[in-house]
Amino acid sequence: MRGNRGAGRLWRWRRNPLRRRTDVAEAWIMLVVWTVVLVGGTPAGLMTAQAAVQASARERAERHAVTAVVLADVPRATTDVGNAYRMVTEVRWTAPDGTSRTGRALVKRGTESGATITVWQNDRGALTPQPTGTTEGAVEAAFFGGSAALAVACAALGIGALTRRRLDQCRLARWAAEWEVIGPRWSQRTR
């Protein structure tokens, strides 16, 4: 039974007196759709993943850890829910050009004034979030690459499905028109 399945899928390519032009068009359209899915989705996924890896590496190269001094006491946590363990407070650090800077950073609750913490800065000395680690960067790259490949595949398959639906509507309309001509000849009326 399985051997007939493969042959059944390729019936539109064979010479057949029942084959319609829409059948041949559908076969070519589906060939193009699957080619786009396989040949277009793979490079799209790989290029997106590579771009994500490069962005993550650039982020790690541009951001540097620096020691900062907490300028005000941070009150202790009153609850154990959500982000209650950290609070934004003023800190002071030294920029790459040697100047002293102040800004706001997330600090653990209960940290006292004068305590040192690690913050991240860019090449201009502005505070930035901690860069993405290599493992997180690889996971993000895989996710973004897979998403890009999936987007290309979904777009191609969606266009293919819409085209097949339109071809089916054309086939049904032609069949209905032909039935209007032939149907009355087949009907037998009893009186």
Side-chain angles (χ1 to χ4, degrees), residues 72-181:
D73 289 344
V74 180
R76 296 211 180 278
T78 57
T79 180
D80 290 340
V81 245
N83 200 13
Y85 295 111
R86 301 182 81 172
M87 184 174 171
V88 176
T89 191
E90 288 286 323
V91 295
R92 182 177 52 238
W93 72 98
T94 303
D97 61 3
T99 60
S100 180
R101 305 255 178 113
T102 58
R104 297 176 67 77
L106 276 174
V107 179
K108 278 185 177 178
R109 291 230 182 216
T111 304
E112 296 179 1
S113 177
T116 58
I117 62 165
T118 301
V119 294
W120 293 83
Q121 66 178 343
N122 60 18
D123 292 333
R124 295 181 309 271
L127 289 180
T128 62
Q130 182 176 351
T132 307
T134 53
T135 304
E136 289 174 323
V139 169
E140 283 181 1
F143 175 74
F144 291 138
S147 296
L150 185 63
V152 169
C154 286
L157 292 172
I159 290 169
L162 289 174
T163 304
R164 287 183 73 185
R165 183 174 183 209
R166 180 68 182 130
L167 288 172
D168 286 342
Q169 289 172 347
C170 289
R171 285 189 277 249
L172 287 173
R174 290 183 85 185
W175 181 76
E178 289 173 8
W179 186 251
E180 288 293 323
V181 173

Side-chain angles (χ1 to χ4, degrees), residues 41-51 145-146 148-149:
T42 303
L46 291 174
M47 287 175 15
T48 303
Q50 183 62 32

